[in-house]
Amino acid sequence: MIHLQLLRKSSQTRSRKQLSQLFSTISQISSQPSKPPSFGIAFDIDGVVLRGNTPIGGASRALRRLYDGSGVLKVPFVFLTNGGGIRESKRAAELSELLGVKISPSQVLQGHSPFKQLVNRFENELIVAVGKGEPAVVMSEYGFKNVISIDEYALYFDNIDPLAPYKKWGTIDFAVERTRKCSINSKRVQAAFIVSDSVDWSRDIQVLCDTLRTGGLPASEEGPQPPLYFAHDDLKYQGAFPSERLGMGAFRIALESVFNSIHAEALKYTYFGKLNPVAFKNAEVVLKQQASFIYRELNIVNHANSGSHDFQTLYMIGDNPAVDIKGARQARNPWFPILTRTGVFKGDHHSNYPEFPANMVVDTVEEAVDFILRNEHQITD
Ligand code: G3P
Ligand code: MG
């Protein structure tokens, strides 16, 4: 059951405007059946498409409807997730396997994907990458040539983590790498990147405080803070556990609170990912490239130039009102936020999220896609 939720006056005006855009899109498509869609979709992953590694909300069925019978993409879509710690190519392969459709790496936009934009600045500088998965591998693939994971970095400083002997999980053997980078503990770190969720908060907060207070070299004199970048600032997210889990934003609060308690100057940092408008801009650029590709496939030559395509509507399907919905609202036209009940938001059938209301609230991602295809006149049944 779909309910339009128009809880605020400002949102009412906006929603009506966007709905009228929708209906003009429908009539456009009806009169020109060969025209490819003038809309695109951005799917959040955690709490919308997956919980942990389990597909939810009819996600596989919903995604299959965006391809034609022979598996060719007919509706531009991307995954716009704050998750990460894995290369986009690997994540695309995983999602293809889990969801049963062919996802290309360019369709996977992760919280840390915009870090690529900082390669020019830090290409050859020593930088530290923090988080679960393969944060240093991710950064190397973006083009950073002198990146080290915090797991490995901590090993160059004896006793930097006094709790290490009590940590039962042990450490990875970086012996080979250590010979190669034997001067690491005398070089200054030029920036720290929080690529994905910290696995060991106590060690990472300790090592980051040591590094950031000293101009990039633990145990040396205090110095100017190197830049610190977070992939996103999600306080919580929906994983496999029934209630929400603490996310990177919670780690940021902990680090900031400790740093500011032991250092005269407040911690300075930047975060990317949703709800940063840059994330929505990047998604629009990628969706435009896909739309141009679809035009090319349909031999509509006038629209074949990459990036020349204008969307009437871009749908953001998310589960987190404070991130997905707020972000899409702030990104404004042509973004149209749809909130599902499968993740962080757990309101009942007649509620929206009053602080950042979505244009529409649905039970599942499948329901959202059904609504979109009907309204965009793309239903074939
Ligand atoms: O750590 C992942 C989480 O913060 C959010 O993922 O897909 O809901 O943006 P997603
Ligand atoms: Mg989510």
Side-chain angles (χ1 to χ4, degrees):
M1 175 76 179
I2 295 169
H3 303 277
L4 278 177
Q5 303 287 342
L6 305 167
L7 298 187
R8 272 187 176 175
K9 202 159 187 239
S10 60
S11 111
Q12 282 182 347
T13 318
R14 187 163 179 269
S15 300
R16 285 197 190 109
K17 202 173 151 208
Q18 285 173 322
L19 279 173
S20 75
Q21 283 179 343
L22 274 177
F23 292 119
S24 79
T25 304
I26 293 166
S27 54
Q28 241 183 326
I29 290 173
S30 319
S31 56
Q32 292 171 286
S34 65
K35 196 176 178 190
S38 63
F39 66 97
I41 309 175
F43 293 91
D44 178 84
I45 294 183
D46 292 318
V48 169
V49 170
L50 300 176
R51 276 175 87 148
N53 276 333
T54 308
I56 54 169
S60 304
R61 276 191 305 276
L63 289 168
R64 272 201 299 274
R65 295 175 69 186
L66 308 180
Y67 296 78
D68 72 12
S70 47
V72 174
L73 188 64
K74 59 178 187 178
V75 173
F77 80 88
V78 291
F79 292 102
L80 183 55
T81 175
N82 276 350
I86 177 170
R87 284 168 292 149
E88 283 76 5
S89 51
K90 205 166 163 186
R91 188 62 171 146
E94 276 183 8
L95 289 167
S96 302
E97 177 75 24
L98 288 168
L99 298 164
V101 289
K102 177 84 193 83
I103 310 292
S104 82
S106 65
Q107 286 176 292
V108 179
L109 307 177
Q110 305 192 96
H112 48 68
S113 301
F115 285 169
K116 282 177 221 160
Q117 295 160 10
L118 291 164
V119 168
N120 286 347
R121 185 165 165 198
F122 297 108
E123 184 172 3
N124 297 303
E125 309 285 6
L126 176 62
I127 60 166
V128 167
V130 178
K132 69 176 183 185
E134 302 180 313
V137 175
V138 168
M139 296 297 278
S140 299
E141 184 154 294
Y142 292 163
F144 296 94
K145 297 201 169 70
N146 201 4
V147 53
I148 184 168
S149 73
I150 199 164
D151 292 337
E152 184 186 352
Y153 186 67
L155 296 179
Y156 287 92
F157 300 90
D158 289 340
N159 305 313
I160 197 168
D161 179 10
L163 303 177
Y166 302 94
K167 291 176 179 170
K168 304 268 191 277
W169 56 80
T171 51
I172 306 157
D173 184 5
F174 289 105
V176 179
E177 284 287 290
R178 211 172 316 165
T179 327
R180 190 163 61 81
K181 293 178 177 165
C182 52
S183 61
I184 287 282
N185 56 1
S186 61
K187 277 189 184 156
R188 289 191 183 275
V189 167
Q190 298 301 315
F193 290 80
I194 317 301
V195 176
S196 49
D197 291 324
S198 163
V199 175
D200 182 351
W201 282 34
S202 76
R203 184 207 55 196
D204 291 353
I205 289 174
Q206 179 69 71
V207 173
L208 286 168
C209 283
D210 289 332
T211 308
L212 298 171
R213 291 177 72 203
T214 54
L217 187 57
S220 67
E221 298 282 298
E222 279 195 6
Q225 186 207 310
L228 170 64
Y229 301 100
F230 289 87
H232 62 87
D233 198 44
D234 286 4
L235 181 59
K236 53 191 180 176
Y237 68 98
Q238 185 67 56
F241 195 72
S243 58
E244 305 89 74
R245 301 294 82 199
L246 299 174
M248 192 179 290
F251 176 74
R252 190 267 303 161
I253 291 168
L255 172 65
E256 187 173 15
S257 169
V258 173
F259 186 90
N260 292 352
S261 305
I262 59 172
H263 194 65
E265 279 181 52
L267 186 72
K268 296 183 276 296
Y269 58 88
T270 305
Y271 69 83
F272 292 83
K274 297 170 290 185
L275 43 66
N276 191 325
V278 171
F280 290 87
K281 224 341 128 199
N282 285 344
E284 188 173 346
V285 168
V286 173
L287 287 164
K288 277 185 178 186
Q289 287 162 354
Q290 277 182 32
S292 297
F293 183 77
I294 293 170
Y295 272 126
R296 250 197 308 272
E297 293 294 294
L298 292 174
N299 288 322
I300 300 176
V301 178
N302 289 346
H303 294 274
N305 297 330
S306 175
S308 66
H309 184 77
D310 278 328
F311 289 110
Q312 299 274 344
T313 312
L314 288 175
Y315 298 92
M316 172 75 227
I317 308 175
D319 68 303
N320 191 336
V323 177
D324 306 317
I325 306 306
K326 185 178 179 188
R329 285 170 58 98
Q330 285 177 349
R332 296 180 175 275
N333 273 342
W335 287 95
F336 185 104
I338 301 179
L339 179 62
T340 69
R341 294 191 183 86
T342 42
V344 170
F345 178 72
K346 296 177 175 69
D348 67 28
H349 281 257
H350 299 285
S351 64
N352 200 326
Y353 188 82
E355 216 181 331
F356 314 113
N359 288 24
M360 171 165 283
V361 184
V362 294
D363 284 339
T364 63
V365 63
E366 187 172 21
E367 211 172 296
V369 168
D370 189 56
F371 163 78
I372 293 167
L373 297 182
R374 282 182 191 284
N375 279 286
E376 298 289 355
H377 209 58
Q378 299 282 318
I379 292 280
T380 47
D381 55 17

